[in-house]
Amino acid sequence: METSERGPVPADEPGGDLGTGPIRDRNGAPDPDAAAPGAPPHGPPPRTGRGRAGLPLRATLALALLTVVGGGSALLLGSGRGDPDLAAGDVAAGVYLPARSVGEGAAAAVRAGPYTERPGPAVGRTPSGRHAPLPASRPPEAAPTAPSPPIGALFSPEDGSEPRHHCTASVVHAPAGDLVVTAAHCVHDGGFHTRLVFAPGLHDGIVPYGLWVPTRIDVDPRWISDRDPDRDVAFLRVRRVGPAGSGAAARDGGRIEDVTGAERIRFDAPAGRPAQLTGYPDDQDAPIGCRHPVDAASPTQLRFSCAGFPNGTSGGPMLTDLDPATGTGTLIGVIGGQDEGGDDATSYSSRLGAEVAALYRRATS
C-alpha cells in the first residue's frame, strides 16, 4: 500500500543526542557543543556501500568491529577509541539524534569543497494522475540521467579533507514533509555517522535545493546488532542549513518536501514491475540511472539486474509509476540489502514489507 497516513510530529531536540559519547576534535579536545554520555569506539570510515565489480561487498572488507549484546545493553569493541564521526545512539531503539553543531559543521565542510549553491528550477506540484512508460534500458546498463529534485547525494565529510559523497538518498512523502530514505549501511556502520549532509538534485558541482542535515535517524535495531540484510533501510528527518551568517529562520525554515517534491512510498509492492533505479557514483556529481523490471531474489529481497551501479549508489531509489508532470514516482526499494547492495552486475534492496512500514511509522510519529 502507498502511505498517506498522518499523525503527530515529535519535537526534535536541537543539540540533542541519544546515547552518544563526548565528541572530540582530531586533536583530542572535547567539543562542548556535542558532548553526551556513552561514546562509541573508533570505527571504519564510511563505506561506499558497493563492492568491487563482480564481488560482493562483504567479501572485500575485513571485520573491524564486533558487537556483543547482552543483558539489554550493547558493547561495541574495536581497535581504537573516540572516533568523532561515529556515535552509538540508542542501540536498543535504533535511533540517533545528532547535535545541532555537528550538522552545522558538516554542512560548512561541504560548502568548503567545490560546490556552488544556485537555485534550481521550480518543482512540479500538480500530479497528472498518469504514469510515464518505463521501457527497459538497452543495453541493461546504468547511464547518465537527468537529475531529479527529490534524489540526491549523501555526504559524510571529514575535517580537512575535500568532501565526497558516499551514498544516495531520496525524499519520501511524510506527514511533516521532512523525511529522507537511504540504506541503513549508509548511516550506521559500527556506529551512527554523525556528519551527514544531503544535497538533493546535485549536478555538476551545483547544489540547487540547499543542504539538509538530519535531526533524527531511524534504523531497525536488528541492523545494528547483526547487519541483517533484510533491515538495510534507514529514514532521516532533516532540516535545512542556510548559508553562513544567516539567521535561525533561514537555517531552519521550510520543509524539504515543499522544496524538492517527494516520492510516494509503497509497502509490500509486488515484484516483476518495470522500475527506474537512480544513484550517484562517489566520483561523480551527477546521477546515473537504468530502467529494468524488478525481480524477487527471495521473499525478503528485490533484485535489479542492470549493470554499472558503482560505489556511492547505495541508498538510491527504485521507483515505479513515474508521473510525467512531477517527475516523482513510487518508491519500492533502495539499493542495499543482499551483499549490502550487490556488485557491478546486480543491485538488491530489502523488501519494504510490514517491518519497514513499522520503521517508517516510528520515524514519522
Side-chain angles (χ1 to χ4, degrees):
M1 61 178 178
E2 293 180 23
T3 181
S4 59
E5 62 192 35
R6 307 191 69 83
V9 180
D12 292 320
E13 299 179 21
D17 201 339
L18 286 179
T20 63
I23 295 177
R24 301 176 179 271
D25 65 22
R26 296 193 181 274
N27 295 318
D31 178 356
D33 241 340
H42 177 76
R47 296 179 185 173
T48 58
R50 306 291 300 212
R52 291 192 292 266
L55 186 64
L57 176 70
R58 290 188 176 190
T60 70
L61 298 172
L63 181 63
L65 294 170
L66 174 65
T67 303
V68 181
V69 181
S73 62
L75 174 65
L76 296 177
L77 304 179
S79 59
R81 294 283 179 184
D83 186 339
D85 297 329
L86 292 177
D90 185 329
V91 174
V95 176
Y96 172 56
L97 305 180
R100 176 175 295 273
S101 60
V102 175
E104 302 288 336
V110 173
R111 287 199 176 98
Y115 297 100
T116 301
E117 292 186 69
R118 184 183 306 161
V123 174
R125 298 291 180 195
T126 306
S128 69
R130 302 188 307 274
H131 297 153
L134 288 174
S137 299
R138 293 287 183 263
E141 294 179 0
T145 191
S148 175
I151 304 171
L154 190 64
F155 290 80
S156 185
E158 296 184 9
D159 288 332
S161 300
E162 182 172 299
R164 293 184 63 187
H165 42 86
H166 69 287
C167 274
T168 304
S170 55
V171 183
V172 289
H173 175 66
D178 63 353
L179 199 66
V180 170
V181 66
T182 188
H185 71 257
C186 291
V187 302
H188 189 286
D189 182 14
F192 284 96
H193 294 302
T194 60
R195 294 168 56 84
L196 293 173
V197 183
F198 177 53
L202 179 71
H203 65 92
D204 307 308
I206 297 172
V207 179
Y209 301 105
L211 296 177
W212 304 76
V213 297
T215 61
R216 175 184 171 119
I217 302 173
D218 282 86
V219 300
D220 191 304
R222 285 164 290 188
W223 173 260
I224 297 176
S225 63
D226 61 6
R227 300 183 77 82
D228 185 340
D230 296 339
R231 320 294 171 202
D232 196 4
V233 179
F235 293 102
L236 289 65
R237 298 184 67 169
V238 298
R239 65 179 177 88
R240 188 169 190 167
V241 179
S246 63
R251 286 198 304 272
D252 299 330
R255 311 184 318 164
I256 192 167
E257 189 168 327
D258 295 333
V259 175
T260 65
E263 316 294 357
R264 302 171 298 278
I265 186 168
R266 181 175 181 181
F267 303 105
D268 295 317
R273 302 192 63 197
Q276 178 171 288
L277 186 59
T278 304
Y280 279 80
D282 63 3
D283 60 352
Q284 299 178 31
D285 287 336
I288 58 173
C290 185
R291 293 175 173 180
H292 195 276
V294 176
D295 302 319
S298 74
T300 57
Q301 295 284 318
L302 297 176
R303 176 176 53 221
F304 192 88
S305 300
C306 186
F309 284 90
N311 293 345
T313 57
S314 277
M318 294 180 181
L319 300 176
T320 63
D321 301 333
L322 265 65
D323 189 310
T326 64
T328 58
T330 299
L331 184 137
I332 64 169
V334 298
I335 298 178
Q338 183 173 321
D339 299 324
E340 296 187 7
D343 53 36
D344 188 62
T346 306
S347 297
Y348 295 94
S349 169
S350 306
R351 293 196 77 157
L352 306 189
E355 290 175 324
V356 177
L359 182 66
Y360 171 91
R361 290 192 295 271
R362 189 185 83 189
T364 58
S365 63

